[in-house]
Coordinates of all heavy atoms in Angstrom, one line a residue:
Chain A
E46 N 88.3 123.9 118.4 CA 88.9 124.6 117.2 C 87.9 125.5 116.6 O 86.7 125.0 116.4 CB 89.4 123.5 116.2 CG 90.2 124.0 115.1 CD 90.7 123.0 114.1 OE1 90.3 121.8 114.3 OE2 91.5 123.3 113.2
V47 N 88.2 126.7 116.3 CA 87.2 127.6 115.7 C 86.9 127.1 114.4 O 87.8 126.7 113.6 CB 87.9 129.0 115.7 CG1 86.9 130.0 115.1 CG2 88.3 129.5 117.0
R48 N 85.5 127.1 114.1 CA 85.1 126.5 112.8 C 85.8 127.0 111.6 O 86.2 126.2 110.7 CB 83.6 126.7 112.8 CG 82.9 125.8 111.7 CD 81.4 126.0 111.6 NE 80.8 125.4 110.5 CZ 80.3 124.2 110.4 NH1 80.3 123.5 111.5 NH2 79.8 123.8 109.3
V49 N 85.8 128.3 111.5 CA 86.4 128.9 110.2 C 87.9 128.5 110.1 O 88.4 128.3 109.0 CB 86.2 130.4 110.1 CG1 87.1 131.2 111.0 CG2 86.3 130.9 108.7
Q50 N 88.6 128.4 111.2 CA 90.0 127.9 111.2 C 90.1 126.5 110.7 O 91.0 126.2 110.0 CB 90.6 128.1 112.6 CG 90.8 129.5 113.1 CD 91.8 130.3 112.2 OE1 92.7 129.7 111.5 NE2 91.6 131.6 112.1
K51 N 89.1 125.7 111.2 CA 89.2 124.3 110.8 C 88.9 124.2 109.2 O 89.6 123.5 108.5 CB 88.0 123.6 111.5 CG 88.1 122.1 111.5 CD 86.8 121.4 112.0 CE 86.5 121.6 113.4 NZ 85.3 120.8 113.8
I52 N 88.0 125.0 108.8 CA 87.6 125.1 107.3 C 88.9 125.5 106.5 O 89.3 124.9 105.5 CB 86.4 126.0 107.0 CG1 85.2 125.2 107.6 CG2 86.3 126.2 105.5 CD1 83.9 126.2 107.7
I53 N 89.6 126.5 107.0 CA 90.7 127.1 106.3 C 91.9 126.0 106.3 O 92.5 125.8 105.3 CB 91.2 128.4 107.0 CG1 90.3 129.5 106.7 CG2 92.7 128.7 106.5 CD1 90.5 130.8 107.5
R54 N 92.0 125.3 107.4 CA 93.1 124.3 107.4 C 92.7 123.1 106.4 O 93.6 122.7 105.7 CB 93.1 123.7 108.9 CG 94.0 122.5 109.0 CD 94.1 122.1 110.5 NE 92.9 121.7 111.1 CZ 92.3 120.6 111.0 NH1 92.8 119.6 110.1 NH2 91.2 120.3 111.6
I55 N 91.5 122.7 106.4 CA 91.1 121.6 105.5 C 91.3 122.0 104.0 O 91.7 121.3 103.2 CB 89.7 121.1 105.9 CG1 89.7 120.5 107.3 CG2 89.2 120.1 104.8 CD1 88.3 120.2 107.8
I56 N 90.8 123.3 103.8 CA 91.0 123.8 102.4 C 92.4 123.8 102.0 O 92.8 123.4 100.9 CB 90.3 125.2 102.3 CG1 88.8 125.1 102.3 CG2 90.8 125.9 100.9 CD1 88.1 126.5 102.2
G57 N 93.3 124.2 103.0 CA 94.7 124.2 102.6 C 95.3 122.8 102.4 O 96.2 122.7 101.6
E58 N 94.7 121.8 103.0 CA 95.2 120.5 102.8 C 94.6 119.8 101.6 O 95.1 118.7 101.2 CB 94.9 119.7 104.1 CG 95.7 120.1 105.3 CD 95.2 119.5 106.6 OE1 94.2 118.7 106.5 OE2 95.8 119.8 107.6
S59 N 93.6 120.4 101.0 CA 92.9 119.6 100.0 C 93.1 120.3 98.6 O 92.8 121.4 98.3 CB 91.3 119.7 100.2 OG 91.0 119.2 101.5
P60 N 93.7 119.5 97.6 CA 93.9 120.0 96.3 C 92.6 120.1 95.5 O 92.6 120.8 94.4 CB 94.9 119.1 95.7 CG 94.7 117.8 96.4 CD 94.2 118.1 97.8
L61 N 91.6 119.4 95.9 CA 90.3 119.4 95.2 C 89.2 119.8 96.1 O 89.2 119.6 97.3 CB 90.1 118.0 94.6 CG 91.2 117.3 93.8 CD1 91.0 115.8 93.8 CD2 91.2 117.9 92.4
G62 N 88.2 120.4 95.4 CA 87.1 120.9 96.2 C 85.8 120.8 95.4 O 85.7 121.2 94.2
I63 N 84.7 120.3 96.2 CA 83.4 120.3 95.5 C 82.5 121.3 96.3 O 82.4 121.2 97.5 CB 82.8 118.9 95.6 CG1 83.6 117.9 94.7 CG2 81.3 118.8 95.1 CD1 83.2 116.4 94.8
H64 N 82.0 122.2 95.5 CA 81.3 123.3 96.2 C 79.8 123.3 95.6 O 79.6 123.5 94.4 CB 81.9 124.7 95.9 CG 83.3 124.7 96.3 ND1 83.8 125.1 97.5 CD2 84.5 124.3 95.5 CE1 85.1 125.0 97.5 NE2 85.5 124.5 96.4
D65 N 78.9 123.0 96.5 CA 77.5 123.0 96.0 C 76.8 124.2 96.5 O 76.6 124.4 97.7 CB 76.7 121.8 96.6 CG 75.4 121.6 95.9 OD1 74.8 122.6 95.6 OD2 75.0 120.3 95.8
I66 N 76.4 125.1 95.6 CA 75.9 126.4 96.0 C 74.3 126.4 95.6 O 73.7 127.4 95.5 CB 76.5 127.6 95.2 CG1 76.5 127.4 93.8 CG2 77.9 127.8 95.8 CD1 77.0 128.5 92.9
S67 N 73.8 125.2 95.6 CA 72.4 125.1 95.3 C 71.4 125.5 96.5 O 70.3 125.7 96.2 CB 72.0 123.6 94.9 OG 72.3 122.7 96.0
R68 N 72.0 125.5 97.7 CA 71.1 125.8 98.8 C 71.3 127.2 99.3 O 71.9 127.4 100.3 CB 71.3 124.8 100.0 CG 70.9 123.4 99.7 CD 69.4 123.3 99.5 NE 69.0 121.9 99.6 CZ 69.0 121.0 98.6 NH1 69.5 121.4 97.4 NH2 68.6 119.8 98.8
V69 N 70.9 128.2 98.5 CA 71.0 129.6 99.0 C 69.6 130.2 99.2 O 69.5 131.5 99.2 CB 71.9 130.5 98.0 CG1 73.4 130.1 98.2 CG2 71.4 130.3 96.6
E70 N 68.6 129.4 99.3 CA 67.2 129.9 99.4 C 67.1 130.6 100.7 O 67.9 130.4 101.7 CB 66.2 128.8 99.3 CG 66.2 128.0 98.0 CD 67.0 126.8 98.1 OE1 67.6 126.6 99.1 OE2 67.0 126.0 97.1
L71 N 66.0 131.4 100.9 CA 65.7 132.1 102.1 C 65.3 131.1 103.2 O 64.5 130.2 102.9 CB 64.6 133.1 101.9 CG 64.9 134.3 101.0 CD1 63.7 135.2 100.9 CD2 66.2 135.1 101.4
D72 N 65.8 131.3 104.4 CA 65.4 130.4 105.5 C 64.1 130.8 105.9 O 63.8 132.0 106.1 CB 66.4 130.6 106.6 CG 66.2 129.6 107.8 OD1 66.8 128.5 107.7 OD2 65.4 129.9 108.6
P73 N 63.1 129.9 106.0 CA 61.7 130.3 106.3 C 61.5 131.0 107.7 O 60.7 131.8 107.9 CB 60.9 128.9 106.3 CG 61.9 127.9 106.0 CD 63.3 128.4 105.8
S74 N 62.4 130.6 108.6 CA 62.2 131.2 109.9 C 62.9 132.6 110.0 O 62.3 133.6 110.5 CB 62.9 130.4 111.0 OG 64.2 130.1 110.7
S75 N 64.1 132.8 109.4 CA 64.8 134.1 109.5 C 64.5 134.9 108.3 O 64.8 136.2 108.3 CB 66.3 133.9 109.7 OG 66.8 133.3 108.6
N76 N 64.1 134.3 107.2 CA 63.9 135.1 105.9 C 65.2 135.6 105.3 O 65.2 136.6 104.7 CB 62.9 136.2 106.1 CG 62.0 136.3 104.9 OD1 61.8 135.3 104.1 ND2 61.3 137.4 104.6
L77 N 66.3 134.9 105.7 CA 67.6 135.3 105.2 C 68.3 134.1 104.5 O 68.0 132.9 104.8 CB 68.5 135.7 106.3 CG 68.2 137.0 107.0 CD1 68.9 137.2 108.3 CD2 68.5 138.2 106.1
P78 N 69.1 134.4 103.4 CA 69.7 133.3 102.7 C 70.9 132.7 103.6 O 71.4 133.4 104.4 CB 70.2 133.9 101.4 CG 70.4 135.3 101.8 CD 69.4 135.7 102.9
R79 N 71.3 131.5 103.2 CA 72.5 130.9 103.8 C 73.8 131.2 102.9 O 73.7 130.8 101.7 CB 72.3 129.4 104.0 CG 71.3 129.0 105.0 CD 71.2 127.5 105.1 NE 72.4 126.9 105.5 CZ 72.8 126.8 106.8 NH1 72.1 127.3 107.7 NH2 74.0 126.2 107.1
F80 N 74.8 131.8 103.5 CA 76.0 132.2 102.7 C 77.2 131.4 103.0 O 78.3 131.7 102.5 CB 76.3 133.6 103.0 CG 75.4 134.6 102.3 CD1 74.7 135.6 103.0 CD2 75.0 134.5 101.0 CE1 73.8 136.5 102.4 CE2 74.2 135.4 100.3 CZ 73.6 136.3 101.0
N81 N 77.0 130.3 103.8 CA 78.2 129.5 104.1 C 78.9 128.9 102.9 O 80.2 129.0 102.8 CB 77.9 128.3 105.1 CG 77.7 128.8 106.5 OD1 78.2 129.9 106.9 ND2 76.9 128.1 107.3
M82 N 78.1 128.4 102.0 CA 78.8 127.7 100.8 C 79.5 128.8 99.9 O 80.7 128.5 99.6 CB 77.8 127.0 100.0 CG 77.5 125.6 100.6 SD 76.5 125.6 102.2 CE 75.0 126.1 101.7
P83 N 78.8 129.9 99.5 CA 79.6 130.9 98.8 C 80.8 131.4 99.5 O 81.9 131.6 98.9 CB 78.6 132.0 98.5 CG 77.2 131.3 98.6 CD 77.4 130.2 99.7
L84 N 80.8 131.5 100.8 CA 81.9 132.0 101.6 C 83.1 131.0 101.5 O 84.2 131.4 101.2 CB 81.5 132.2 103.1 CG 82.7 132.5 104.0 CD1 83.2 133.9 103.8 CD2 82.4 132.3 105.5
E85 N 82.8 129.7 101.7 CA 83.9 128.7 101.6 C 84.4 128.6 100.1 O 85.5 128.3 100.0 CB 83.3 127.4 102.1 CG 83.1 127.4 103.6 CD 82.4 126.2 104.2 OE1 82.5 125.2 103.7 OE2 81.7 126.4 105.2
L86 N 83.5 128.8 99.2 CA 84.0 128.8 97.8 C 85.0 129.9 97.6 O 86.0 129.8 96.9 CB 82.8 128.9 96.8 CG 83.2 129.1 95.4 CD1 84.0 128.0 94.7 CD2 81.9 129.3 94.6
G87 N 84.7 131.1 98.2 CA 85.6 132.3 98.1 C 86.9 132.0 98.7 O 87.9 132.3 98.2
L88 N 86.9 131.3 99.9 CA 88.1 130.9 100.6 C 89.0 130.0 99.7 O 90.2 130.2 99.6 CB 87.8 130.2 101.9 CG 87.3 131.1 103.1 CD1 86.8 130.2 104.3 CD2 88.3 132.0 103.6
F89 N 88.3 129.1 99.1 CA 89.0 128.1 98.2 C 89.6 128.8 97.0 O 90.8 128.6 96.6 CB 88.0 127.1 97.7 CG 88.6 125.8 97.1 CD1 88.9 124.7 97.9 CD2 88.8 125.8 95.7 CE1 89.5 123.6 97.3 CE2 89.4 124.7 95.2 CZ 89.7 123.5 95.9
M90 N 88.8 129.8 96.4 CA 89.4 130.5 95.2 C 90.5 131.5 95.7 O 91.4 131.6 94.9 CB 88.2 131.2 94.6 CG 87.2 130.3 93.9 SD 85.7 131.1 93.3 CE 86.3 131.9 91.8

Side-chain angles (χ1 to χ4, degrees):
Chain A
E46 192 175 7
V47 181
R48 192 181 166 93
V49 75
Q50 289 298 335
K51 198 193 289 182
I52 291 167
I53 290 169
R54 176 174 57 79
I55 295 171
I56 288 175
E58 291 167 1
S59 308
L61 303 162
I63 296 175
H64 307 266
D65 192 327
I66 53 171
S67 61
R68 294 292 195 280
V69 284
E70 298 96 353
L71 296 179
D72 187 89
S74 56
S75 64
N76 220 19
L77 290 167
R79 289 179 61 83
F80 283 131
N81 283 340
M82 279 68 72
L84 171 72
E85 289 171 31
L86 171 60
L88 286 171
F89 194 91
M90 291 169 80

